[in-house]
Amino acid sequence: MLVAALCCLGLAWHAHARKRHLRAAWLLGYAQSARKLGSDPIGMLPSLLERQDTVTTTVRAELGAAAFERWYRYGARMSGDEVLRAVRADTDEPPRPPAAHGAREDDTGATRLTPREREVASLAARGLSNREISGRLVISKRTVDTHVERILAKLHVAARTDIARALED
């Protein structure tokens, strides 16, 4: 996960240098999300943090705050396979456009969840926090955090408050 985060961060910086700001936005989002799930050596290297902040500020200014946030969040919800396919295709916009306002790409999102993800999604939809879910399922909070991120990506929703509606559809 850490290697993917660092690679995507480097690719985002390269995209920024080439004025491919849309690509940079979702790569930055994925890199940040992946860094949260693993250890974060970038936080210990001030020069890398400065570079990331500079690129993020510039890309946000070029795309506009709303577009940047949309693509950044989209990148944060992408799976490693989706990022790899988009990077290999050298595309600025990943193949599947980001969902607007929690809309889903199809009606079978819940069927793509693993049994454990369905359990976590059900508890999250009832309003339980990640810590409460971890206690109920006897798994670590970090594991729940990972499940919730994957659930959001698979259901193509932006927030955990949208999970219940996505499961009903």
Side-chain angles (χ1 to χ4, degrees):
M1 188 65 72
L2 179 59
V3 172
L6 291 173
C7 290
C8 284
L9 191 56
L11 289 169
W13 296 349
H14 183 264
H16 165 260
R18 300 278 186 254
K19 307 254 186 259
R20 297 175 71 181
H21 298 107
L22 191 70
R23 179 180 176 84
W26 59 264
L27 283 165
L28 285 168
Y30 178 81
Q32 181 65 24
S33 175
R35 284 176 46 210
K36 285 181 185 177
L37 297 176
S39 60
D40 186 12
I42 294 172
M44 296 183 291
L45 302 170
S47 62
L48 289 180
L49 268 179
E50 288 173 21
R51 177 73 176 143
Q52 179 181 351
D53 289 343
T54 300
V55 170
T56 300
T57 301
T58 304
V59 171
R60 180 179 281 121
E62 288 293 327
L63 289 177
F68 174 82
E69 289 302 322
R70 182 178 181 204
W71 284 101
Y72 185 90
R73 282 192 314 269
Y74 179 73
R77 291 188 318 266
M78 290 175 76
S79 71
D81 288 339
E82 289 171 327
V83 168
L84 186 57
R85 279 192 300 275
V87 166
R88 283 181 175 162
D90 194 32
T91 182
D92 285 339
E93 185 174 322
R96 180 182 42 156
H101 304 294
R104 293 193 352 242
E105 181 180 286
D106 60 52
D107 293 332
T108 62
T111 61
R112 289 185 280 153
L113 299 178
T114 66
R116 180 59 103 182
E117 288 169 343
R118 282 194 292 277
E119 284 181 289
V120 171
S122 174
L123 295 171
R126 292 192 309 194
L128 274 69
S129 71
N130 287 4
R131 188 161 308 283
E132 292 169 324
I133 294 169
S134 73
R136 178 127 352 142
L137 298 178
V138 194
I139 57 177
S140 75
K141 181 188 170 294
R142 189 171 176 150
T143 299
V144 175
D145 295 342
T146 301
H147 282 310
V148 170
E149 287 298 317
R150 289 183 179 152
I151 290 164
L152 294 173
K154 287 180 177 183
L155 297 179
H156 306 291
V157 296
R160 66 185 295 127
T161 55
D162 298 324
I163 293 173
R165 188 184 51 210
L167 291 174
E168 290 172 4
D169 291 341

